[in-house]
Amino acid sequence: MSSIPAAAADTAAITAVLDRLADAWSRGDGDAYGALFTPDATYVTYVGTLYIGAKEIGDAHQALFDSFVKGTRLASETVGIRLAGPDTALVVTRGDTYKGRPGKLHKIQTYTLVRQADGDWKIAAFQNTKHQAVMEAISFRFQPASKPAAHAL
């Protein structure tokens, strides 16, 4: 299946979902965070934890907001938004959590968003991977053909 760049209205709506996600994170609001996901969404953290469903995602994040990530914010830079169909968007971002001032964005995220019957977009799948620059550089040095043409990290 080929994908096409997202139309301006869809791009704005999708970006607004990601902005609301960051806002819910900064407020430490697990319910608002989870509400941006579909009821059957999948969420894979960079350590490999799998959460399934908006409620589990929201509940788990509330526990994190109340402990390990309390007081943190999300920094994010959108790499690209593409439509895989009229109601499915694929989004790639660079991001990380921070306190104080954002630093280097060490993680790569992939989102799959789906348009709901009411026209709103929700996140159906999320994958977060920590960028391992040293391992990547070693790989590219020993096998240059494995380096992507558009490598921009």
Side-chain angles (χ1 to χ4, degrees):
M1 170 187 341
S2 64
S3 60
I4 57 173
D10 288 329
T11 298
I14 292 162
T15 300
V17 171
L18 300 180
D19 290 345
R20 288 194 303 275
L21 197 70
D23 179 62
W25 185 291
S26 68
R27 291 184 290 111
D29 186 341
D31 287 338
Y33 192 85
L36 296 166
F37 293 84
T38 62
D40 61 348
T42 57
Y43 189 108
V44 180
T45 70
Y46 82 93
V47 298
T49 304
L50 171 64
Y51 298 111
I52 298 177
K55 179 165 178 22
E56 185 171 73
I57 293 165
D59 290 350
H61 278 79
Q62 189 61 60
L64 293 169
F65 296 150
D66 292 342
S67 58
F68 300 122
V69 298
K70 186 174 187 166
T72 63
R73 299 177 63 96
L74 291 179
S76 182
E77 172 186 293
T78 300
V79 174
I81 299 173
R82 308 175 283 153
L83 293 179
D87 299 321
T88 305
L90 307 172
V91 181
V92 176
T93 64
R94 288 186 194 94
D96 217 328
T97 59
Y98 69 96
K99 282 188 178 183
R101 301 180 91 160
K104 185 171 175 159
L105 304 177
H106 294 285
K107 297 173 188 150
I108 306 294
Q109 295 93 18
T110 304
Y111 297 85
T112 302
L113 285 89
V114 292
R115 191 187 323 263
Q116 305 299 288
D118 63 4
D120 288 343
W121 289 90
K122 288 209 173 196
I123 303 164
F126 172 78
Q127 167 74 44
N128 192 16
T129 303
K130 187 166 185 175
H131 182 228
Q132 308 236 355
V134 172
M135 293 303 296
E136 182 181 60
I138 291 168
S139 176
F140 294 164
R141 180 176 177 130
F142 287 101
Q143 186 45 269
S146 69
K147 185 174 183 178
H151 194 269
L153 297 176

